[in-house]
Structure formats: C-alpha cells, structure tokens
Amino acid sequence: MKRTPAIVLTALLLSLMALLSGCNKPDEPAGAGGSRTLKVGATPVPHAEILRVAAPLAEREGVKIEVVEFTDYIQPNIALSDGQLGANYFQHVPYLERFCADRKLSLSSAAAVHLEPLALYSTKHARLEDLPEGAQVTIPADPTNGSRALQLLAQHGLLRLREGVGVAATVKDVLDSPRKLALREIDAEQQPRTLEDVDAAVINGNYFLEAQKNLKLDAKALASEPAKGNPYANVLAVRKGDEARPEVQALIKALHSEDVRRFIESTYGGAVVPAF
C-alpha cells in the first residue's frame, strides 16, 4: 500500500524528534540514570587545579565537571554569557560586577571559594625599603585590579591617593609618590614575563603562581594584601538564575569540602587561602 505524503512527513518528523531527544548539550542534564555535565571555565593556576580536586567529589553527586582553561580575563565571561559554559571560576566580585556593567551581561556570583592576596613582587629588591627613587612598577591594566594595586601601594606608603576614591581609584587619582614611582599599566597576564625588566610589579596571585611553575620565576613578595576582611575572594560565577541549579550546587559543595581546603592550604604556601 503506497503511503500518502502526509504519513511520510509525519514519520520523518517523529524520527527527527527522537534523534534530538537523545542528544544532550555538554552543559545539560543527561537522561535518566546518566551523569550530568557542567562545563566550567577557569584560568590554569590555581583555579583549574582546584577544580580538578573538586571534580571527583562532584561526580559522586552525579555531576561530571569538564574544565575549560583560559589564559585571559575576558573570554571566560563571554563564553559563560553565550551559554558555552555553565559556570566560570577565575575572578572576584568587583571585577565581575564591573565587567557585567560595561558589557551589559547578566552574570552573578554563586559562591566564594578562595582569596589570592595581591602582592608587590620583585626580582631585584629583597625589601620594600630597597625600592629606589623613580622605581619602575607595573600594575594590572584592568580597572578593578589596577585600583586594588594602587590601594596596596598606598597602604604601604608608596603613594597617596585622592581621598574617597576607594575601589574606583585610577592612576589619575595618585596625588603624589614619596619615591616618585614610575607606574605603568600592562595586561595582568604579561606582568610576570616583564617582572625582570622593572623594579617591581603588583601581580595577581594566579599569574604569579603560574609563572613560578612554568617560568621558574624567582621573586620576593615585598608587600601583600591582608586576607581578613578582603572583598576580593575569587568566586564561582554563573548566569543569573542558575545559582540554585543542581549541577552548580553539587560543584559548590565539592569546592567547599575539607579535601579542597586541605589542598589549598598545603599547596600554595599562603599565596592562596580558602574563603569558606
């Protein structure tokens, strides 16, 4: 018996629906009884390392963590907003809020995980007092970490900022510098590679740790941020509305575990400290 075109079309549509129902996006729950996958963007050190410690713990909850590494501070948020990732882990809340405001993104913090105290490093000088007049010092070029670096230098008497600028400080707010520091803003990821060319640099903890590991960077920390009351804890970020998503909650539980706490405290020598 010859089928009518309508019957053939219906059969094709049903076949297509069956095929699609068997496919899960990498960041979507799998079928009944299967594991769910959460793709998480992270910078290599320490974020990806910490995620790999947490991953087996999340897998016990039925969630497979797929770590996607990035080496900059821009693409992880773009990829999260676009839906290529289910979460990212590399930034603190002031940076996240500024980035979202500038680019009109709808992302939020799901949980604080660790703090990387920002520090002033040098390969040429062993003490803060040894910095010469006119010392060349680099700070991160991004606004939030640049402001954070300026505040660190001000706290240690190396410069004076305009009163009341707080976390919005820029180099234009530097009123004076007793040692006439020559400040230069460069991309945060490039700072460790140029450290030997300057007197000192205020470097983000993850980039310094990565440089120590890969470049065998031998540098002294001349000054660092206090951990107590520090607003710059690194967070697990998600799209707004996904904070309570089961996969995200499973990862948070793993990241806040004693296994992760012990790993952080035993691995990074105080350059990374738990924030939970």
Side-chain angles (χ1 to χ4, degrees):
M1 179 176 171
K2 189 174 180 180
R3 295 181 179 177
T4 65
I7 294 175
V8 173
L9 179 59
T10 301
L12 287 172
L13 287 172
L14 289 172
S15 297
L16 180 59
M17 289 172 66
L19 177 63
L20 291 175
S21 67
C23 299
N24 289 297
K25 295 178 182 179
D27 195 35
E28 293 290 332
S35 63
R36 298 159 290 170
T37 298
L38 183 69
K39 291 179 70 173
V40 186
T43 44
V45 182
H47 305 82
E49 294 176 342
I50 294 171
L51 282 171
R52 291 189 176 101
V53 174
L57 305 177
E59 196 152 4
R60 294 176 193 170
E61 306 289 325
V63 178
K64 181 180 178 182
I65 303 302
E66 182 179 336
V67 180
V68 182
E69 292 193 7
F70 294 84
T71 57
D72 71 287
Y73 287 170
I74 307 297
Q75 295 307 312
N77 279 336
I78 301 299
L80 177 58
S81 180
D82 289 347
Q84 299 173 51
L85 302 171
N88 69 38
Y89 172 38
F90 76 98
Q91 65 193 320
H92 48 64
V93 169
Y95 179 85
L96 173 65
E97 291 179 344
R98 178 69 174 265
F99 192 97
C100 288
D102 289 347
R103 299 196 180 226
K104 297 179 173 56
L105 303 183
S106 185
L107 308 177
S108 69
S109 166
V113 182
H114 77 265
L115 173 70
E116 299 166 15
L118 203 68
L120 178 67
Y121 294 99
S122 177
T123 60
K124 298 178 180 179
H125 310 291
R127 301 178 307 162
L128 199 63
E129 296 78 11
D130 296 336
L131 282 178
E133 185 171 312
Q136 293 187 329
V137 177
T138 68
I139 64 173
D142 64 276
T144 50
N145 286 306
S147 170
R148 190 178 169 191
L150 292 171
Q151 292 175 68
L152 173 62
L153 295 174
Q155 288 164 6
H156 289 273
L158 295 173
L159 52 82
R160 185 166 64 91
L161 294 171
R162 193 183 312 279
E163 188 174 350
V165 291
V167 297
T170 71
V171 290
K172 294 179 180 179
D173 295 308
V174 176
L175 298 179
D176 60 65
S177 172
R179 300 191 200 182
K180 298 180 174 55
L181 299 183
L183 297 175
R184 183 157 57 99
E185 298 173 287
I186 65 174
D187 291 341
E189 62 267 28
Q190 295 301 321
Q191 286 186 280
R193 297 182 180 278
T194 61
L195 180 55
E196 293 182 344
D197 300 325
V198 297
D199 289 284
V202 183
I203 302 177
N204 292 72
N206 65 307
Y207 285 130
F208 181 76
L209 288 169
E210 191 174 352
Q212 270 192 319
K213 181 178 179 179
N214 298 328
L215 304 178
K216 309 301 180 187
L217 191 63
D218 182 19
K220 300 281 187 183
L222 309 185
S224 63
E225 290 177 320
K228 188 175 181 180
N230 194 306
Y232 295 103
N234 281 213
V235 300
L236 185 72
V238 297
R239 290 181 292 278
K240 283 187 178 178
D242 281 356
E243 296 87 349
R245 183 178 167 188
E247 293 85 355
V248 171
Q249 287 299 309
L251 178 54
I252 292 171
K253 180 180 177 181
L255 287 168
H256 286 181
S257 67
E258 285 305 307
D259 285 4
V260 168
R261 179 185 295 276
R262 285 193 294 269
F263 174 78
I264 291 173
E265 291 175 344
S266 65
T267 302
Y268 301 112
V272 178
V273 295
F276 55 91

